[in-house]
Amino acid sequence: MTEKKSCLKGVGLTKVFGLGRNKNMAVDHVDFDFAEGEIVSIVGESGSGKTTLAKMLLGLINTTEGEIYFKSKKRDIRSQKAKKEYWTNIQAIFQDPFSSYNIFNKIDALFLDCINMRGGKKLPYEKKLEMMTEACSFVNLKFAELTNKYPFELSGGQMQRLMIARIFLLKPQILLADEPTSMIDACSRATILDMLLKLRNDTGMTIIFITHDIGLAYFVSDKVFIMEHGKFVESGTADEVILRPKEAYTKRLLNDVPKIHEEWDLSTVDIKAK
Amino acid sequence: MGKVILEVNELTTKYVTRFNEDVYAVDHVSLKVEEGKSLGIAGESGCGKSTLALSLMGYYFAPLHYTSGEIIIDGQNITGMHPDTVRKNILGNEIAYIPQAAMNALNPTQKIIHFIEDVVQAHDPKVSKKEIYELARERFEVLGLPKEVLQRYPVELSGGMKQRTVIATSVILEPKILIADEPSSALDVTSQKMVIKMLRYMMEKGYVKAMIFITHELPLLYNVTDDIMVMYAGQIVEKGSSKQTVFDPIHPYAKGLMGSIIVPESGLKDTKLTAIPGTPPNLKKPPEGCRFAERCKFVTPECKRYPVDMKYLESDRSYRCIFTEEQLRKAYQND
Ligand SMILES: Nc1ncnc2c1ncn2[C@@H]1O[C@H](COP(=O)(O)OP(=O)(O)O)[C@@H](O)[C@H]1O
Ligand SMILES: Nc1ncnc2c1ncn2[C@@H]1O[C@H](COP(=O)(O)OP(=O)(O)O)[C@@H](O)[C@H]1O
Ligand code: SF4
Ligand SMILES: [Mg+2]
Ligand SMILES: [Mg+2]
């Protein structure tokens, strides 16, 4: 087996909000090395620092400390030009797909923007149409039914699929998905997860999946990172972390999730405990 | 069979929008909850779970309107009762409802104890503040909430603590039945577990006699209920024991829903999740025939012709589909 190439690496990544007594280490010296084509999950309770880490990886906020390496090269996005260039390599989808862009923009305009961003501005319209149709069929949507529609006319699940179609057109090397299914029903959630898996299998994209749901993380990912108070407390292959957890925190998270085949042990919490 | 605490027969209610359109959100729903039991309501968002919960209380105000059917709480038929009577005599002491996101609706400028005073005095203005404090303190103590919480403002409490406070307050008048609408969906798993444990303890202590639990999270529902009812587009499509409904669903929609369950257990990675394509029908114009027809793999022209009735099985299960259980099982096998 050939050694997997590093896609995104972090060394001592840290983000501190506030000063003095209000100092909050949202992300506290995390290290990781995500390989090309891997799906990795970052799992943690709310407030553990997942979104803050995501924003640093996306270059939306500055890091307080630490370095990020993209394909083994130190990331330097201080200039606007470098930042733009970086964003062709990394893209994101968020919890609320409706918040991601102007919902008064028609759907075909959204797709055309993506094609233009990938340098396809001069392509003949037939070619663009073919690309848009392909992107829609990748997420099981019919382009003909979407043209001239506004995003607010779609359901949350359809909208999130549209966001994945957008990623399919943009073909970044990394997709960062921050709680992409937490506002979506269980039966549409399965569709979204399948599409993320397909995206990786078809394009070799690296996917960073952020979630508070340890079951979802287990289902989609090759590797799992458990985050607590800004730190990675345990990481490894999905089977290692979920089926054979070592850290007490991971064990507690797993124990507290309701299961269906295994018993959900309520004795671990005591309502009388102060 | 135990004593029936809540019985609902063919309840139908609707919203009338500002544009005078009808939204048929609860259609001919029947159910029974016995003493000591807890009934779960599952279904994707917009299927009518919260509307059903509201409708069950017999307290209607615009835009929600009663159409037909009856509600009987512990032998008392409350159908058609005047809203003022319902508010005074039924809500809170016969049937209590914890709305979705209730903990975020707490008045931020009101101390918890004042919130409890309002709840109690709405039923009996003569109860003194001292009596209310004593009752609240005792109740909080039993339910593991420090009495200091009573003097706090909502912002000073964590999410889990706020939710437990709301729940403890909802049973202060010892209602016969409690309806909890997504009571732990916004909480972390550990707080969720605390909330569930507290709800169970309240039943044990007899603060409530029966419970209806609403959530779209199936593993949670499975763990806290005796029976589960699956709703789709305003109708019940399947009802049975929690175990049967989760592990051996009959209705195609219930089958799809149960096939989408994700829990961190070994074997999950090899599971093929079911995805149900499409979206539910618009409840302003629900289809004449089976409401699930547009998304059902097993649809036939017959399905769309007439409204589909519930089929009642000897095993105390029921489902809404034109096919027999045997036919459906065969279809699943060949699928
Ligand atoms: N812009 C900000 N300013 C100050 N504090 C913030 C900001 N964003 C997040 N935080 C804090 O950082 C911590 C981590 O938050 P976040 O990354 O959003 O967690 P998660 O996504 O895991 O829920 C929290 O304590 C949060 O209050
Ligand atoms: N105030 C309202 N006016 C009109 N329609 C409403 C109102 N509230 C809810 N609805 C509609 O009723 C249906 C059922 O909603 P709801 O009971 O909230 O579903 P659930 O709790 O299962 O998510 C949905 O189609 C919703 O759009
Ligand atoms: S009646 Fe027909 S469409 Fe409806 S659930 Fe049964 S098979 Fe499917
Ligand atoms: Mg977040
Ligand atoms: Mg609801």
Side-chain angles (χ1 to χ4, degrees), chain A residues 45-46 155 158 185-191 193-194 213-216 218-222 238-239 242-243 252-262 264-274, chain B residues 43-45 141-144 146 164 188-190 192-194 196-198 200-201 216 219-220 222-224 246-247 253 257 260-269 271-276 279 295:
Chain A
E45 294 180 283
S46 76
S155 73
Q158 284 174 324
D185 276 303
C187 38
S188 340
R189 187 178 64 190
T191 312
L193 296 178
D194 278 345
D213 187 325
I214 202 162
L216 292 190
Y218 182 42
F219 182 76
V220 294
S221 39
D222 306 314
D239 280 339
I242 307 301
L243 303 180
R252 199 202 85 204
L253 275 187
L254 279 163
N255 188 284
D256 287 348
V257 174
K259 320 267 186 336
I260 60 170
H261 298 98
E262 293 159 27
W264 192 36
D265 181 11
L266 281 179
S267 72
T268 59
V269 294
D270 182 3
I271 61 169
K272 299 288 184 57
K274 181 59 238 61
Chain B
E44 58 198 303
S45 74
E141 162 126 49
V142 176
L143 295 175
R164 289 166 64 198
D188 275 326
V189 284
T190 309
Q192 164 172 290
K193 211 172 183 180
M194 288 285 253
I196 299 306
K197 193 152 182 179
M198 181 170 146
R200 283 212 183 159
Y201 192 60
H216 62 276
L220 178 66
Y222 170 70
N223 278 284
V224 300
V246 168
F247 288 104
Y253 174 68
L257 208 56
S260 67
I261 292 180
I262 300 177
V263 280
E265 295 176 336
S266 62
L268 172 74
K269 269 180 133 15
T271 321
K272 179 89 189 83
L273 297 181
T274 349
I276 308 174
T279 46
R295 302 170 76 185

Side-chain angles (χ1 to χ4, degrees), chain B residues 10-26:
Chain B
E10 302 286 324
L11 185 63
T12 300
T13 64
K14 65 177 181 189
Y15 291 106
V16 180
T17 68
R18 279 184 298 147
F19 310 106
N20 223 15
E21 296 161 311
D22 291 343
V23 180
Y24 302 96
V26 173

Side-chain angles (χ1 to χ4, degrees), chain B residues 53-191:
Chain B
L54 274 172
S55 304
L56 287 179
M57 296 187 296
Y59 184 58
Y60 302 98
F61 49 89
L64 184 61
H65 296 266
Y66 167 83
T67 307
S68 59
E70 61 178 5
I71 303 163
I72 302 159
I73 303 174
D74 200 16
Q76 186 186 14
N77 194 326
I78 65 159
T79 324
M81 211 178 249
H82 194 277
D84 292 341
T85 320
V86 175
R87 197 178 56 219
K88 194 156 181 317
N89 298 338
I90 306 295
L91 300 188
N93 47 4
E94 292 290 320
I95 190 163
Y97 174 50
I98 308 170
Q100 215 167 324
M103 66 182 197
N104 302 321
L106 285 170
N107 180 346
T109 62
Q110 193 179 37
K111 281 185 183 172
I112 299 299
I113 184 65
H114 296 142
F115 164 62
I116 299 174
E117 284 165 5
D118 284 355
V119 170
V120 176
Q121 289 183 333
H123 290 275
D124 190 352
K126 292 197 293 286
V127 190
S128 74
K129 292 200 168 162
K130 187 154 180 301
E131 282 171 284
I132 296 171
Y133 178 79
E134 278 312 309
L135 177 66
R137 194 190 54 79
E138 183 244 59
R139 196 55 58 82
F140 270 44
E141 162 126 49
V142 176
L143 295 175
L145 289 159
K147 66 173 187 294
E148 289 73 28
V149 169
L150 292 169
Q151 304 303 336
R152 293 267 144 70
Y153 290 94
V155 288
E156 300 173 292
L157 305 174
S158 69
M161 197 54 107
K162 253 194 293 197
Q163 187 60 292
R164 289 166 64 198
T165 299
V166 168
I167 295 170
T169 308
S170 73
V171 297
I172 201 119
L173 301 165
E174 301 189 14
K176 302 214 168 85
I177 184 153
L178 173 69
I179 308 173
D181 194 353
E182 309 268 3
S184 63
S185 299
L187 303 175
D188 275 326
V189 284
T190 309
S191 310

Side-chain angles (χ1 to χ4, degrees), chain B residues 306-325:
Chain B
Y306 310 106
V308 181
D309 287 329
M310 288 295 268
K311 284 193 168 62
Y312 295 87
L313 304 181
E314 274 176 28
S315 53
D316 226 12
R317 305 180 66 179
S318 50
Y319 68 97
R320 192 187 295 277
C321 176
I322 64 164
F323 291 114
T324 64
E325 180 182 1

